[in-house]
Every structure is written in structure tokens, then in C-alpha cells.
Amino acid sequence: MAAAVARSLNRLALRGLPSLTAAQNFLAAAPSPIAPAGAIVPSFAIPPLPTGHRVVDASPARPARRMLSTPAGEDHEGQNVSHAMEMLSRADAVCFDVDSTVIDEEGIDVLAATLGKGPEVAAWTAKAMDGNIKFEDALAARLDIIRPSRGDISSCLEKHPLRLSPGVDRLVEALQGRGTDVFLVSGGFRLMIEPVAERLGVSVENIYANTILFDEDGGYAGFDATEPTSADQGKPKALRTIKAKYGYETMVMVGDGATDAQAKPPADTFIGFGGVVTRDAVREKACWFVRDFETMISIVKTGQ
């Protein structure tokens, strides 16, 4: 967990957000992770692949995963890569997590850092995304630490606009260009996600996220616990709602966290994203694990 917190805090430090000293103090007190003992992993077959692809063995230094290589030599990692690629090629809906997937940081960590609570909140975020604690407990704990007012959120977004991950705008454009609907399904906050959706051309009606409640003076008054994404197993609930409402035949979930992996099913495949942070639990569960969006863009544009 300390490594994940370090990555989050280093990103905040690079943005000039407070406080690097507090971050270093936090990490110094965190226990060092113990690496699991390596094991020899036998090779194994994967399902039939498109013509021109070849199978390569998973690295013996890692738990067994299926690897696929393209003719150009690019390796693709996951439990069922060819199926994930096929589902993406014909999906009529793609659902994206937002934090550390659509954007290259955790929105709640950025907000916490602007309020001087970065290290405390980053620790809870790492635990939640690694699946080590129920999401609703982590959400409540983080909000209780920062208690953001409406003005705090507006000021944060004005001073530190959330940054898109490289290539995600082109991926969304390609999906929408072929008639695939795009949804943002996030454990983050609607107020912070709406500007991101606007930049991507995604309707606010296609946002499934958490709602912070404010009192009449704009002060923090809690969060809406009825939102499906406010609790563990919330993303499967959100995707079931989307599928039932629109009648989609093929849905894909893309994200970096354990809560995203939970969304298959009802998603037909789960594409894990490691372009911002790599989480072992997500790599193990992903049908296809990617570190950028370039191959996904190519599949969407060409259908293969």
C-alpha cells in the first residue's frame, strides 16, 4: 500500500500541491511491503487467436497470466485477451472509471491535497482501490477527513483542473464516432466529473458517480448513500441499471481499481488500465490489461 500512496503523493507533489514533507513523514511511518515468494509458472494454451497472432509464455517471475503478441511484437496481457478485444470491437456501450483511468490522478486526492489533507486521504484511497477495505467505509472516512464545501471543490477545480490521461479523448471520440455510447462510472464525485465529461463530449446523463450533499450555506453535509457507486459492488449495480435502461447487448468496463473488476458481470469483459498506477489485484482479474489506450483506439477504428 505504501508504494501506491507514494505514487499518488508524488503526482500531487509534481503539481505543486501540499505537502511533500507531510508525504515523506507518512511514508516513513508506513510498513514496508513484503514481496511474495516467486514461483515457477508452467506455460499453457489460450483460446484460438486471430490469424497472425502467436502465444507466448507468462513470465515465470509472476503469477500465471495469459499473454498474446501481435505480429509487430507487442505483448498483450490478460486472462482472455482475444475475447476482450472482440468485445471491444463490437461493444455498443463502454463504461470508464474516471480516477486514474480517464484522468491521470485521483480526484479526491487532489481535493484533499488542496485542503492540506493529502497523505491521510491518499492512504485510504490506496486501500480502497486495492480492494483491502469496503469502498463505502473508505469513502466515508475520506470525506470525514476533508469535509469539502461547495466552494472548496470549485476552488480546487479552478486552481488544479483535472488532467485527462493521454489518448483517452481520442478513444472516446473513436467510440462515439462509430455509434458506441460512453459512460463514466465512478466512485468519485459528480461535481468534479462533470467538467471532465464536458471536455470529452459525454452527456452528464451518462455519469454514474457520487453526490456530495451541502447545507444551505454550501457547507459539507454528507453524501448521498443511495447512489450505487457509493458502496462496494456499486459498479455492477450501475452497469445493470444502464444495461436494463438501454438494452445494450455488449458492454465493456475499463478501469484501474478492484471496484472496476467487480463490474464483470454484467460487463461482458473487463479491461484493466495500468497507465497511471498498476494494481496487482486488477492485473490478475483483467481479461486484458493495458498501460495505454493506443491498441484500444486501433481496434475501435478498424474493428480488429
Side-chain angles (χ1 to χ4, degrees):
M1 182 188 75
V5 177
R7 287 190 293 269
S8 178
L9 292 169
N10 285 339
R11 290 197 298 272
L12 297 177
L14 288 171
R15 296 193 64 169
L17 298 174
S19 149
L20 185 58
T21 300
Q24 291 170 334
N25 290 340
F26 171 82
L27 293 173
S32 299
I34 299 175
I40 301 300
V41 180
S43 61
F44 48 89
I46 68 173
L49 306 175
T51 302
H53 288 72
R54 62 186 175 85
V55 177
V56 296
D57 292 343
S59 169
R62 301 182 185 277
R65 281 184 293 276
R66 300 179 182 185
M67 300 289 291
L68 179 87
S69 285
T70 64
E74 180 184 0
D75 288 341
H76 299 291
E77 178 182 2
Q79 295 296 336
N80 199 339
V81 176
S82 57
H83 175 73
M85 289 180 169
E86 180 185 355
M87 293 298 97
L88 178 63
S89 71
R90 57 187 179 90
D92 44 11
V94 176
C95 302
F96 290 89
D97 176 41
V98 175
D99 297 306
S100 294
T101 301
V102 169
I103 62 173
D104 70 354
E105 52 204 338
E106 294 286 330
I108 191 170
D109 291 352
V110 173
L111 177 60
T114 64
L115 299 175
K117 303 289 186 179
E120 298 167 74
V121 169
W124 281 100
T125 298
K127 287 191 286 187
M129 293 303 99
D130 288 338
N132 295 328
I133 190 172
K134 287 186 176 180
F135 183 81
E136 58 264 38
D137 294 337
L139 178 62
R142 288 178 292 175
L143 282 173
D144 193 53
I145 290 170
I146 58 179
R147 302 184 66 82
S149 67
R150 187 183 294 275
D152 289 334
I153 295 175
S154 297
S155 177
C156 171
L157 293 176
E158 181 179 349
K159 295 177 181 177
H160 309 285
L162 299 176
R163 302 175 309 214
L164 296 179
S165 293
V168 71
D169 51 346
R170 292 185 291 116
L171 176 55
V172 170
E173 182 180 16
L175 286 165
Q176 293 175 328
R178 73 169 192 190
T180 299
D181 290 336
V182 173
F183 293 83
L184 303 181
V185 182
S186 174
F189 307 130
R190 187 176 298 274
L191 272 178
M192 300 185 74
I193 293 171
E194 286 177 353
V196 174
E198 183 177 359
R199 290 167 64 188
L200 291 173
V202 174
S203 168
V204 294
E205 299 298 323
N206 288 12
I207 298 174
Y208 287 75
N210 289 313
T211 301
I212 298 179
L213 304 177
F214 304 102
D215 60 28
E216 59 184 13
D217 296 321
Y220 175 72
F223 65 94
D224 185 354
T226 66
E227 294 278 11
T229 55
S230 68
D232 200 45
Q233 295 294 331
K235 291 188 178 180
K237 291 181 183 178
L239 265 66
R240 280 194 292 270
T241 298
I242 293 169
K243 197 166 192 175
K245 182 177 181 179
Y246 297 101
Y248 296 123
E249 293 184 2
T250 306
M251 293 181 68
V252 174
M253 181 71 205
V254 184
D256 72 295
T259 58
D260 305 310
Q262 293 174 348
K264 175 187 176 290
D268 296 281
T269 194
F270 167 57
I271 300 176
F273 182 70
V276 178
V277 58
T278 298
R279 308 184 197 279
D280 288 340
V282 175
R283 291 179 65 203
E284 295 305 316
K285 295 176 181 177
C287 301
W288 178 22
F289 189 79
V290 303
R291 290 176 173 81
D292 61 54
F293 294 117
E294 296 307 314
T295 303
M296 293 177 66
I297 293 170
S298 177
I299 289 172
V300 171
K301 287 184 174 181
T302 64
Q304 56 182 308

